[in-house]
Amino acid sequence: MKNTVRKEIEKAFIELDNQEGWGSANPGAFDVSHPREEKFGDFSTNLAMIMASRLKKKPRDLAELLTAILRKNDLFETVEVAGPGFINFRLRPVRWARELGRVFREKESFGRVEIGKGEKVMVEFVSANPTGPLHIGHGRGAAVGDALASILRWAGYDVVREYYTNDVGLQMDNLGRSTLLRARELAGEILAEEPAYKGEYMKDVARAFMEKHGPDILSAPEAEALAIARDFAAENIMEGIRKDLADFNVHFDIWYSEKTLHESGSVEKLIDMMLEQERIYEKDGALWLKTDEQGDEKDRVVRRANGVTTYLAADIAYHKTKLDRNFSTLVNIWGADHHGYVPRMKAVISALGGDPDKLVVRLVQLVSLKKGGQTYAMSTREGVFTTLREIMDEVGADAVRYFFLMRSSDSQMEFDVELAKSQSSENPVFYVQYAHARCSSIFRQAEEKGVATPDFQHVNPELLTGEGELRLIRKLMELPEIVEVAASSFQPHHLTQYMYEVAGLFHHFYKHNRVVGEDEALSAARLSLVMATQMILKNGLGILGINAPDKM
RNA sequence: GCGCCCGUAGCUCAGUUGGAUAGAGUAUCAGAUUGCGGAUCUGGGGGUCGCAGGUUCGAAUCCUGCCGGGCGCACCA
């Protein structure tokens, strides 16, 4: 609808331009927005203010001239000049009601837009090392990454969800050693040293390890036992991560293993190539990548003096594969504690001959937990963290996702556990899901009373022009705009916020308008509005990866 | 010391590319409903948008400086 209005404004401007002979032809960039105050109308444009300086006219005078033309358009009920030179539009109510037909034509696709034009986008997220279970920080990244991927898909991009596993290197060796230590402890030995991974979960890993390999494994040669323990632990923990994510309704297209990059030799090959290109040089026995001249604080080591490559070396090879796979945008969702890597990774992209602007890093800020009136900061340093599994078990996957998605990922957030658990209107996820369930309930009621589900083509739109109805309809028709905003800002919370508003307007409508009543035509019209609302709630919640229940 | 994010109502937070009298929930106060799910709805009070400059017709939004909070600054990942 917004685009329709924009086109009408452009047409009017061109007409005015011809009439006055300014020859400016192009109205340029101007806004069409929903005014904050309802009394200003359905849409508002700043065109007159933008063009005023270019044409050396007073904004209000220009606005008046445009208004005279726009008033002839029967799309609008009123066109008015306001404030410093805004033009405010109010559409004829019946035009809004008729617009609902779009929802019934597009159904489960209503909300899709084509700004992506089929371009390939990768969203890489979570990518936690298989050294321990996911905690709620990972959970926030998982929710944001997954919802963002869906939003981009709805915006017309060809999206791939990818998880990169760091399944080799020093951390993995530490993991193997920790497993063996715990296994020996289970066998009755005293801990020879403090394990690198101290969490309780390591005891479970060790127990499973012993069950599979039996006690003989402990007397095997150290190197052999270590390798077996390492591989077992990594696989065991990774399995848990996959399960957690699946239960969190997060599904990846590709699980990319760092190990394969080493095994294929592409890490070494790229280092050699960059040495030749003098993007990598030797100093103090180590090999360094020139990231400094690309905006990083200093150059970075890719191969240590002891001959072992660093994480960065693998990351070069990994990002090479991303570039080779022809994505137009590479989105990475990282925890805020990794922000220092952004310039480094941009430098890597440049060194590979790619455009660093292709890499979009969304940093997701930390989560703290509020429980029993206390706030707990999640801290890896102090080893205090709640796992994603624990919080999912306590409040449910839907509520966890909703809470992670209702705030801007740029802000640190407080997760109120009691609120997420409460089954009342105070809890936003219940408020939204309840709106959907209420729609279903209305249909059940209609069915009992023998009221048929209407076909929108036979509904009289004039019957949907009450204040509460119009407000709801206007909001419903915004879904495509919201998808666009969320996609272009890479911020899913815009959609979550919108869902809440839709639910609020629907509850209001329901309270003040009898849906299934005596008047057959009116019942049909209102039932169709409920159907449209339910479709929007279902589509929106679907994008966010949250269930839309018929009963609660 | 350098860098990134944040600072908006008592509390938790929105505010799309700069727009009109800055919003929601919650808390608080006051109300509604003999009917489709009260898991709902209506209203009131509550603000120096951290502070100070600057750009602009117009700044919560952009720029600079300062203050406060969080997080990073390895030949770890």
Side-chain angles (χ1 to χ4, degrees), chain A residues 365-408:
Chain A
Q365 296 293 323
L366 302 182
V367 182
S368 57
L369 270 191
K370 187 179 164 199
K371 204 171 171 179
Q374 282 270 336
T375 303
Y376 303 91
M378 294 295 118
S379 160
T380 33
R381 193 187 297 159
E382 290 159 40
V384 183
F385 57 83
T386 302
T387 62
L388 176 60
R389 174 60 62 185
E390 285 166 339
I391 195 77
M392 268 200 287
D393 285 348
E394 189 166 1
V395 309
D398 279 347
V400 176
R401 282 188 73 116
Y402 191 97
F403 273 62
F404 283 150
L405 294 172
M406 75 177 168
R407 303 302 185 204
S408 163

Side-chain angles (χ1 to χ4, degrees), chain A residues 55-70:
Chain A
L55 295 167
K56 298 194 168 46
K57 298 249 169 219
K58 285 186 187 153
R60 284 196 66 109
D61 293 348
L62 189 54
E64 291 291 353
L65 289 170
L66 270 167
T67 301
I69 293 171
L70 286 159

